Amino acid sequence: MRLIRGSLPAEVRAALALDRGERVLAVAPTRGGSHVAATTTALHLPTPSGGFTRVPWERVDHATWKDGWLHVHETSAGPEHHVRLIDPGSVPETVRERVTATIAVSHQVQLPGGKVRIAGRRPAAGGEVRWTFVFDAGLDPSDPGLRAQAEQALEDLRRQTGL
């Protein structure tokens, strides 16, 4: 993927506080006068205070692009982010590619009353696979019995995949 340079205002680049080796891949201006930046390791979303929220790619459960809005849902019942982009450029495609690249395995398991999706994700910067559970609506993720069944399914999946 081609790296972009020079299209991000200097004050925005400074506010991003990029990690060492992190590079900007795509940028889009927002309706609020800030920018969204997709980097090699994370999505940087503007905050109302003028700063940025850094969401590592492996923490993005899913993202959608619709009617000028970028909708980002974090894993494990994390926050949702909704940002209006003026000119999306290649941000939507970059988000899709980066999120997809972190997925090592995704598997659904039937539980009493619904399903749980077990996802194993690798951080973009490398490292150990991180596992998350996404329970169907109506299932209580804090229910000890459901949790135990999901954990057992995870152990079975780890044995099968070697992860």
Side-chain angles (χ1 to χ4, degrees):
M1 179 169 282
R2 182 177 65 85
L3 299 178
I4 66 161
R5 297 195 193 277
S7 60
L8 191 61
E11 65 274 9
V12 174
R13 184 175 287 279
L16 285 176
L18 300 177
D19 288 344
R20 183 182 178 125
E22 184 176 12
R23 296 198 188 351
V24 176
L25 300 173
V27 176
T30 68
R31 189 170 196 182
S34 188
H35 290 76
V36 166
T39 72
T40 50
T41 59
L43 181 63
H44 296 262
L45 301 164
T47 63
S49 65
F52 287 90
T53 295
R54 183 179 191 281
V55 183
W57 294 119
E58 69 274 10
R59 282 198 359 229
V60 177
D61 183 51
H62 67 277
T64 57
W65 167 250
K66 185 176 180 182
D67 298 327
W69 287 87
L70 178 64
H71 305 279
V72 179
H73 302 263
E74 290 190 43
T75 57
S76 301
E80 296 180 11
H81 309 276
H82 308 281
V83 183
R84 177 98 166 137
L85 302 181
I86 296 171
D87 176 11
S90 62
V91 166
E93 294 86 3
T94 303
V95 169
R96 176 182 290 274
E97 186 273 330
R98 294 275 99 189
V99 170
T100 301
T102 68
I103 299 170
V105 65
S106 181
H107 182 71
Q108 278 196 344
V109 176
Q110 183 66 48
L111 299 176
K115 295 178 184 173
V116 62
R117 181 170 44 93
I118 303 171
R121 312 275 298 274
R122 272 199 174 70
E128 293 293 315
V129 171
R130 296 179 186 166
W131 296 94
T132 58
F133 298 115
V134 180
F135 290 88
D136 278 354
L139 291 180
D140 180 5
S142 63
D143 177 311
L146 286 178
R147 204 69 194 173
Q149 289 179 38
E151 293 284 350
Q152 182 58 55
L154 170 59
E155 287 308 311
D156 294 344
L157 185 60
R158 290 180 77 166
R159 267 195 304 279
Q160 291 171 8
T161 62
L163 295 175

